[in-house]
Amino acid sequence: MDVSSALSFHFILIAIICTAISSTVYADIYSDIDVTWGDNNAWVLNNGQELQLALTNYSGSGFQSYKEFLFGSVDISMKLVPGNSAGTVTTFYLSSTGEGHDEIDMEFLGNVSGEPYILHTNIYVNGSADKEQQFYLWFDPAADFHNYSLLWNPQQIAIFVDGLPIRVFANNENIGVPYPNEQAMRVFSSIWNGDQWATQGGRVKIDWSYSPFVASYMNFNTDVCEWNGNGSTSQCWATNWWNQNSLNYAQQGQLQWVRSNYLIYDYCKDYARFNYQLPAECSQQPQ
């Protein structure tokens, strides 16, 4: 499908004012994140409105949000590494800590000049991660900033790119499928050397003559139920706009368009991998 056809899809934005008991956090790129590694490869620009993370042959870099939360919506604008980005991995994800951690993962796999990025997504529950889906994007993510969003509530996880849903993972605990709903998470982002696997299965390695590889970040926002280690967040998420049981009708159409045109790998269609016994949630997930 060409760009003109894509633009024919008009999505509905739902904006509902949160109630007073909602614990809403609005973050900026400077004051609400902590650069946790590769400090020399992290640069704050434009009066704190932009952060750049760099990968060199001696270090990558990464940040995390100061605050933990249990359910919410987070988004950020990113401009990925331009040119020959083969072997690089740039990430934006939610994660708890510890061996049995939960994680909602977006990884952008670099490629040689002229070849598209791959967006690799995954869901970890209690340390187990076998739920990969991969996508091409319908634009060049290195040419300009684009918005990437993660919505996590007790009913579903939804991943959005420029407001379009690309993936939904529903809570199917009723049929024995684990769902991340007990561990608080933080926002994380990083850039690192993944050339053992990231580009064409590891066949293409990083060309360090193009170093430093730089990804840029702006407009970091969180609307979440903050977790302080005790008590319940149910009064927060129960009344929040992002506590949706499912996508609305327009979003369902957008999801189908993205998956029909840009989904390139789906674990729910990898029969050989699972010896023709697909995970239980595959019968419930959008196709």
Side-chain angles (χ1 to χ4, degrees):
M1 182 175 290
D2 59 23
V3 174
S4 61
S5 298
L7 291 175
S8 67
F9 283 82
H10 298 283
F11 54 89
I12 299 175
L13 296 177
I14 300 178
I16 301 176
I17 299 176
C18 299
T19 63
I21 60 175
S22 172
S23 175
T24 303
V25 180
Y26 296 100
D28 68 65
I29 203 68
Y30 181 69
S31 64
D32 284 88
I33 61 96
D34 181 27
V35 175
T36 51
W37 62 288
D39 290 25
N40 291 334
N41 284 356
W43 311 305
V44 176
L45 307 173
N46 298 327
N47 296 317
Q49 297 304 303
E50 180 179 348
L51 175 70
Q52 292 185 339
L53 296 181
L55 168 66
T56 64
N57 60 351
Y58 60 86
S59 179
S61 51
F63 68 80
Q64 69 179 43
S65 62
Y66 286 117
K67 296 175 181 177
E68 289 183 295
F69 52 92
L70 188 66
F71 305 129
S73 175
V74 304
D75 61 89
I76 200 165
S77 297
M78 298 171 56
K79 183 164 65 173
L80 302 183
V81 176
N84 187 345
S85 59
T88 67
V89 179
T90 306
T91 69
F92 178 60
Y93 62 101
L94 310 182
S95 184
S96 61
T97 57
E99 185 175 344
H101 76 290
D102 296 338
E103 187 171 323
I104 303 168
D105 212 7
M106 300 178 75
E107 296 183 332
F108 300 86
L109 312 183
N111 216 329
V112 294
S113 297
E115 296 296 323
Y117 269 86
I118 291 174
L119 172 51
H120 176 93
T121 69
N122 205 348
I123 311 293
Y124 292 66
V125 185
N126 296 323
S128 175
D130 56 1
K131 307 181 188 307
E132 303 94 339
Q133 292 183 354
Q134 294 184 337
F135 302 82
Y136 287 137
L137 297 169
W138 49 96
F139 53 84
D140 179 358
D144 204 350
F145 284 93
H146 291 267
N147 184 265
Y148 304 93
S149 305
L150 299 170
L151 184 151
W152 170 42
N153 68 33
Q155 290 76 236
Q156 64 173 344
I157 293 163
I159 300 176
F160 296 82
V161 175
D162 281 344
L164 297 180
I166 67 167
R167 179 175 185 179
V168 172
F169 183 81
N171 184 339
N172 284 299
E173 289 181 305
N174 61 318
I175 58 172
V177 179
Y179 185 82
N181 54 15
E182 296 181 354
Q183 300 186 58
M185 300 202 222
R186 283 186 167 92
V187 180
F188 292 84
S189 188
S190 60
I191 182 170
W192 46 278
N193 177 1
D195 70 3
Q196 292 186 338
W197 67 278
T199 304
Q200 300 179 30
R203 291 187 295 275
V204 181
K205 304 299 183 182
I206 288 181
D207 184 344
W208 293 109
S209 68
Y210 290 93
S211 173
F213 303 96
V214 178
S216 301
Y217 302 81
M218 294 181 67
N219 303 325
F220 175 48
N221 290 293
T222 66
D223 190 349
V224 299
C225 292
E226 197 174 321
W227 177 256
N228 295 312
N230 51 33
S232 172
T233 61
S234 61
Q235 283 190 323
C236 169
W237 58 256
T239 60
N240 224 302
W241 70 266
W242 42 255
N243 189 35
Q244 309 161 359
N245 290 324
S246 61
L247 301 180
N248 63 41
Y249 182 77
Q251 290 172 327
Q252 291 173 22
Q254 295 158 3
L255 178 68
Q256 185 60 49
W257 174 77
V258 171
R259 297 179 69 82
S260 296
N261 290 280
Y262 297 101
L263 178 66
I264 59 173
Y265 175 80
D266 184 355
Y267 76 107
C268 280
K269 297 179 181 179
D270 195 341
Y271 291 91
R273 174 182 176 183
F274 295 102
N275 196 26
Y276 290 87
Q277 296 182 332
L278 294 176
E281 71 269 16
C282 290
S283 63
Q284 309 294 318
Q285 299 297 321
Q287 299 302 308

